Amino acid sequence: MLSLILPTYNERESLPALIPRITEILRGVEYEIIVVDDDSPDRTWEVARELSRRHEQLHVTRRVGRRGLSSAVIEGFLAAKGDVFVVMDADGQHDAALLPRIAAAAEENKGIAVGSRYMEGGSVGNWEGFRAFVSRLGGSLAIWLCKVKVTDPMSGFFAISRGTFEEVLPRLNPKGFKILLDLLVHVPAGTNVKELPFSFGKRLLGESKFSAQVRMQYLEFLYDATVGRFIPLTLIKYCVVGALGVAVNLSAYMASTLLLRESSQYGLFPTPLISGIEAAILFNFLLNNAWTFSRARLRGWGAVTGFAKYNVVCAFGALANIAVTAFLFRGGMSAIGSIAIGAFVGMIWNYTIGKLFTWNA
Ligand code: GDD
Ligand code: MN
């Protein structure tokens, strides 16, 4: 049995033409179609449900509160009954006529079959230059990460056997658009892959969801799959925030020195010093909460108590910083060297403990 997964987001105009076309092409085949819709604002799920009254092979899942092409496809696989799963865009850009051949290829090799735009005989159609360039570049970065050789690891048109999917399932990282790449990066080496050329068509109705956010998620995925195994992305983000925090600290220090004019004569007068530090702690907390640890974001009261905890974490971090700096400096290291290493140790402390204690991440 063949299970066709159609992820949809705002495709109400495309579905009514696509479903009858697929039914036509798959006549005589044992199949089911699973539409996985992420609660589209245009109510695609409603149109799909309506269609499913006339097409009994059609099933509809409406996911509420979740978004993402990759995770929608995985959810479709998990609901599927077939021995081979096929994924296709619901907007008509993938030629449904190729569907039976892609499915048959994955069924035969008990692995994966990919509809490729980049092999001999395939094409990306008339994409504007920039999109074609991004896709090409993204593709070449991706190719060397794959366990098996393909020309188009970013294709949205592919088939996978149930056995292969169940084997990689626990290792998947379903962020963003790149579901096929995720599968190809995590399959055991030696998995069979066959590619079939196809021409990527023009979108007739609706618009593409390939947004700037999707591109960002793709870069994060590449990072996670390479350097991220040694240095977590959250640590890099934390360091960026920390560096910006130093600038905030200095600006707040200077601003309050100006406000309390007389204090400037005392150099490191406590009020400006403390307001600089506190401004930096608040800034770092807000930015880490919104960006670095966005997946464990604290809200409402949680954010208030989280901020209090973060102050405690940073106080211990400052002690560690001072202790290390003093130790190295007394041991004969230069002032700059000891300060830099002390600050680095303080930062790693704040990151590690803050992550566990403030964000539970
Ligand atoms: N459920 C769900 N949730 N479906 C989604 C989401 C989402 O968040 N985002 C997009 N889709 C659906 C769309 O409705 C469409 O059926 C399909 O996924 C592909 O989305 P498009 O917005 O049409 O993508 P594209 O045509 O720009 O991108 C094509 O090329 C990419 C690589 O360059 C697709 O083939 C992608 O799959 C492919 O990765
Ligand atoms: Mn599309």
Side-chain angles (χ1 to χ4, degrees):
M1 185 186 192
L2 183 165
S3 297
L4 172 65
I5 315 301
L6 295 178
T8 60
Y9 194 76
N10 287 348
E11 303 290 2
R12 73 175 293 137
E13 296 168 274
S14 304
L15 277 187
L18 183 67
I19 301 296
R21 172 147 168 79
I22 294 171
T23 316
E24 190 61 38
I25 286 167
L26 292 181
R27 178 162 297 168
V29 176
E30 198 195 351
Y31 73 98
E32 63 177 347
I33 304 176
I34 303 177
V35 166
V36 186
D37 184 74
D38 283 353
D39 200 21
S40 298
D42 78 352
R43 304 170 82 87
T44 305
W45 39 272
E46 211 171 58
V47 174
R49 194 171 300 147
E50 194 52 46
L51 286 162
S52 74
R53 299 223 167 92
R54 272 170 284 139
H55 299 269
E56 59 179 80
Q57 291 92 340
L58 178 60
H59 306 277
V60 184
T61 299
R62 173 185 171 192
R63 302 200 304 167
V64 177
R66 274 168 294 168
R67 239 337 270 290
L69 178 52
S70 281
S71 68
V73 168
I74 292 172
E75 198 142 331
F77 288 164
L78 290 170
K81 286 187 285 203
D83 319 294
V84 63
F85 309 149
V86 187
V87 182
M88 200 174 112
D89 287 3
D91 56 5
Q93 289 189 276
H94 291 155
D95 183 3
L98 191 62
L99 215 165
R101 286 211 288 134
I102 293 197
E107 204 159 19
E108 254 160 49
N109 71 8
K110 298 195 165 47
I112 297 178
V114 179
S116 169
R117 298 162 294 183
Y118 295 121
M119 74 192 292
E120 187 70 41
S123 85
V124 294
N126 38 11
W127 258 357
E128 77 280 27
F130 183 68
R131 174 79 199 262
F133 171 75
V134 169
S135 174
R136 256 271 190 251
L137 182 74
S140 21
L141 286 172
I143 283 168
W144 64 267
L145 283 174
C146 294
K147 292 287 182 319
V148 283
K149 285 297 143 241
V150 291
T151 58
D152 193 358
M154 306 294 290
S155 177
F157 198 8
F158 65 94
I160 182 167
S161 71
R162 169 181 288 280
T164 308
F165 169 66
E166 284 176 355
E167 204 166 354
V168 293
L169 176 60
R171 294 192 286 275
L172 298 178
N173 171 6
K175 234 190 252 172
F177 254 47
K178 34 78 237 144
I179 171 70
L180 176 61
L181 176 61
D182 200 7
L183 293 166
L184 293 171
V185 166
H186 293 113
V187 287
T191 300
N192 294 324
V193 178
K194 182 175 170 141
E195 286 193 288
L196 298 117
F198 85 99
S199 293
F200 194 57
K202 234 188 150 120
R203 183 185 256 275
L204 299 174
L205 302 158
E207 40 191 70
S208 167
K209 285 93 207 173
F210 192 87
S211 58
Q213 192 198 3
V214 167
R215 266 167 240 184
M216 206 50 214
Q217 284 169 329
Y218 176 63
L219 291 181
E220 283 192 16
F221 176 85
L222 288 182
Y223 182 89
D224 284 346
T226 51
V227 191
R229 278 183 277 178
F230 312 106
I231 308 171
L233 186 60
T234 49
L235 176 58
I236 303 283
K237 289 182 173 177
Y238 197 91
C239 292
V240 171
V241 173
L244 294 171
V246 172
V248 170
N249 188 338
L250 287 177
S251 326
Y253 173 78
M254 288 189 295
S256 53
T257 312
L258 285 177
L259 280 174
L260 308 166
R261 263 175 202 293
E262 75 282 16
S263 62
S264 56
Q265 297 146 14
Y266 302 93
L268 291 182
F269 185 77
T271 308
L273 185 67
I274 288 169
S275 48
I277 291 172
E278 202 49 45
I281 293 179
L282 178 63
F283 170 85
N284 287 11
F285 174 77
L286 292 175
L287 202 53
N288 283 320
N289 193 41
W291 184 49
T292 315
F293 299 114
S294 59
R295 256 179 274 162
R297 188 175 298 162
L298 303 169
R299 295 171 203 275
W301 266 113
V304 177
T305 53
F307 177 59
K309 284 187 193 172
Y310 191 62
N311 273 279
V312 177
V313 171
C314 290
F316 280 99
L319 285 179
N321 178 345
I322 293 165
V324 169
T325 306
F327 175 78
L328 293 174
F329 187 66
R330 287 205 192 117
M333 190 180 264
S334 70
I336 294 285
S338 0
I339 289 172
I341 295 178
F344 182 72
V345 171
M347 176 114 96
I348 298 293
W349 163 281
N350 286 355
Y351 168 76
T352 314
I353 308 299
K355 179 175 144 123
L356 291 172
F357 181 64
T358 312
W359 282 281
N360 283 317

